[in-house]
Amino acid sequence: MNSIISVVTPSYNQAEFIADTIESVLSQEGDFYIDYVIIDGGSNDGSSDIIDRYEKALKENCRMETISDLCFYVAEKPFHLNRCKGISYRWISEKDKGHGDALNKGFSRSIGDIMCWLNSDDMYLDNAFQSITEIYRQFNQVKWVVGQNCSFNKDGSLRSCTYLEKCRYKNIFSFLTHNYEWIQQEGTFWRRDLWQKAGGKINTDYKLMVDGELWCRFFLHENLYHVHKELGGFRYHDTNRAHLFMPQVRSEMARAISGLARQVPVQTREFAENLLANAPVQEIRHERLNFKIIEKKPKATEWQISEVDFFAYSLKEQAELIRRTLNNLEYKTGSRLITPLRWAIRSARKMVIGAASFFRRISA
């Protein structure tokens, strides 16, 4: 079976970063085809020249092969920009109506059974596409996945983060209780049948959170699976729109979640309301409550699916937030009283997690 991964990159005046973005896609190695579509919004900073340079490199080093009525560049000898079975590389540069419109243009041209997008300042990590290909071949029931959160500095170096910062588990109840930060778009991949079921387009009424609104529609149909591997990352720099316009980001997410709440079954909405009301843990059950995990153990040849308990993880998440707050206080005040307080909170967290686990066992 030929797996084709369709990647769309919307871009406008990102000449400083777009070469890194393109290379992170083209250099993916493995048993799959890449259908790469770049939609440039009429940049005037030299972006088009950079995009064209990679097309010329593929033409010079590869032969053409037609698959599913689309032409792919296939490398006949080792070539660092084509290490998979073949690459279709297409791009246009013209005025568009914004981020969502550019994505819709790209996806309407795509053909892959696996879909994703990567903004023109972000990057994929090595072996991301091969991992995704293996997962989708092994698990027919998996419709969309997200890797562990990761990010890059402006110079492209990988930023470090804690385990809980990497593993930001989310499901439909996380969103319905407004705990939505964040499903990392750069590491999210989905099947085309889910895309079609969810409407088959990006909602252009949203200017910043087109991804968050799409996740809400995906949650109406399928569970999200979290892959214990870093797949793609967000690059921090001075002109990130999400950071510059955070109030608008949160406003759009609130609107998207309100739309989700109106469309879910009544029992699902009531269950989320019970979670917000802190109902006793032993009285709460729902088939979509626990987080879905996909991981490959050391030396294993296949991926495995498991679950993480919603309540135990939520307590860890709250403890992590407290820890980071204490670290900030300690840094700002230099207070030595913070350390014993941190130990007390850690002990209390272990007691609460143990109690929650005990109540679930005796009520099961």
Side-chain angles (χ1 to χ4, degrees):
M1 180 179 64
N2 287 328
S3 294
I4 301 177
I5 301 177
S6 285
V7 188
V8 174
T9 291
S11 182
Y12 182 69
N13 284 345
Q14 290 283 9
E16 183 178 1
F17 304 119
I18 195 169
D20 289 342
T21 298
I22 294 172
E23 291 202 17
S24 79
V25 175
L26 300 184
S27 63
Q28 292 290 318
E29 182 176 10
D31 184 28
F32 50 82
Y33 291 89
I34 297 174
D35 170 29
Y36 194 22
V37 184
I38 302 174
I39 307 297
D40 181 77
S43 297
N44 55 19
D45 66 343
S47 293
S48 296
D49 294 334
I50 296 170
I51 298 168
D52 184 58
R53 185 175 76 213
Y54 287 95
E55 182 175 28
K56 289 177 179 176
L58 290 169
K59 287 180 178 178
E60 291 171 1
N61 291 276
C62 305
R63 62 178 173 84
M64 299 298 293
E65 181 178 313
T66 301
I67 301 168
S68 300
D69 297 324
L70 193 63
C71 290
F72 285 79
Y73 295 101
V74 178
E76 296 183 308
K77 57 184 179 181
F79 178 47
H80 74 286
L81 292 178
N82 194 337
R83 301 159 67 195
C84 60
K85 295 176 73 172
I87 297 173
S88 171
Y89 185 92
R90 293 166 288 153
W91 65 282
I92 60 173
S93 183
E94 62 184 24
K95 294 290 184 181
D96 56 46
K97 299 176 183 177
H99 191 62
D101 180 50
L103 287 169
N104 283 332
K105 283 184 180 181
F107 285 127
S108 68
R109 290 165 165 80
S110 70
I111 67 164
D113 50 318
I114 302 170
M115 304 174 69
C116 57
W117 88 73
L118 186 67
N119 292 327
S120 53
D121 49 355
D122 301 324
M123 291 181 286
Y124 288 121
L125 277 76
D126 291 345
N127 204 40
F129 287 13
Q130 181 61 26
S131 297
I132 291 300
T133 300
E134 292 171 1
I135 288 168
Y136 278 126
R137 285 178 180 171
Q138 187 176 339
F139 303 112
N140 290 329
Q141 74 273 31
V142 174
K143 299 298 184 181
W144 66 306
V145 302
V146 63
Q148 291 181 322
N149 283 7
C150 75
S151 57
F152 301 95
N153 295 306
K154 184 178 180 179
D155 63 3
S157 59
L158 197 62
R159 294 164 61 104
S160 62
C161 55
T162 67
Y163 175 78
L164 278 173
E165 288 172 322
K166 289 181 181 180
C167 299
R168 292 279 182 87
Y169 299 143
K170 303 297 172 188
N171 61 20
I172 189 170
F173 293 109
S174 306
F175 269 44
L176 289 172
T177 56
H178 291 265
N179 181 20
Y180 54 79
E181 298 181 14
W182 301 97
I183 296 173
Q184 191 168 49
Q185 167 263 310
E186 300 81 18
T188 303
F189 299 77
W190 60 89
R191 293 188 192 268
R192 183 169 293 273
D193 58 352
L194 175 59
W195 168 257
Q196 298 294 350
K197 191 184 295 185
K201 64 179 182 179
I202 297 295
N203 188 339
T204 55
D205 290 339
Y206 289 75
K207 303 305 178 186
L208 295 166
M209 290 309 296
V210 294
D211 52 346
E213 192 277 335
L214 181 62
W215 310 155
C216 287
R217 283 185 278 143
F218 282 177
F219 273 133
L220 287 171
H221 303 285
E222 297 289 344
N223 293 315
L224 172 64
Y225 285 77
H226 296 78
V227 181
H228 273 195
K229 179 181 175 62
E230 295 170 336
L231 302 173
F234 173 89
R235 189 197 297 254
Y236 282 90
H237 56 85
D238 297 339
T239 57
N240 288 135
R241 293 195 313 153
H243 288 262
L244 292 174
F245 304 105
M246 187 55 67
Q248 294 94 316
V249 165
R250 297 194 183 282
S251 175
E252 288 193 355
M253 277 306 301
R255 178 156 60 103
I257 291 170
S258 295
L260 172 64
R262 288 193 298 270
Q263 296 179 73
V264 297
V266 173
Q267 60 269 31
T268 301
R269 185 165 58 250
E270 291 177 347
F271 188 86
E273 291 170 354
N274 285 335
L275 288 175
L276 282 171
N278 294 316
V281 295
Q282 67 269 28
E283 296 178 8
I284 296 182
R285 289 293 183 273
H286 194 285
E287 61 182 6
R288 297 186 68 182
L289 181 61
N290 288 344
F291 302 107
K292 314 299 181 184
I293 310 300
I294 300 177
E295 59 185 337
K296 183 184 284 188
K297 301 292 186 181
K299 299 183 180 180
T301 58
E302 292 192 334
W303 296 84
Q304 298 177 346
I305 289 180
S306 60
E307 293 189 354
V308 168
D309 182 86
F310 178 89
F311 297 104
Y313 175 78
S314 297
L315 288 169
K316 289 180 180 179
E317 197 173 36
Q318 292 168 16
E320 173 68 6
L321 178 61
I322 294 171
R323 183 193 67 80
R324 294 171 69 180
T325 302
L326 290 175
N327 283 346
N328 288 336
L329 283 172
E330 192 170 23
Y331 173 77
K332 291 178 180 179
T333 65
S335 175
R336 295 182 179 180
L337 295 176
I338 300 298
T339 300
L341 182 58
R342 184 184 290 113
W343 277 103
I345 291 173
R346 184 180 302 170
S347 300
R349 186 195 70 176
K350 290 180 179 179
M351 292 175 61
V352 173
I353 291 174
S357 177
F358 171 75
F359 280 123
R360 271 189 297 280
R361 286 199 303 272
I362 65 174
S363 60

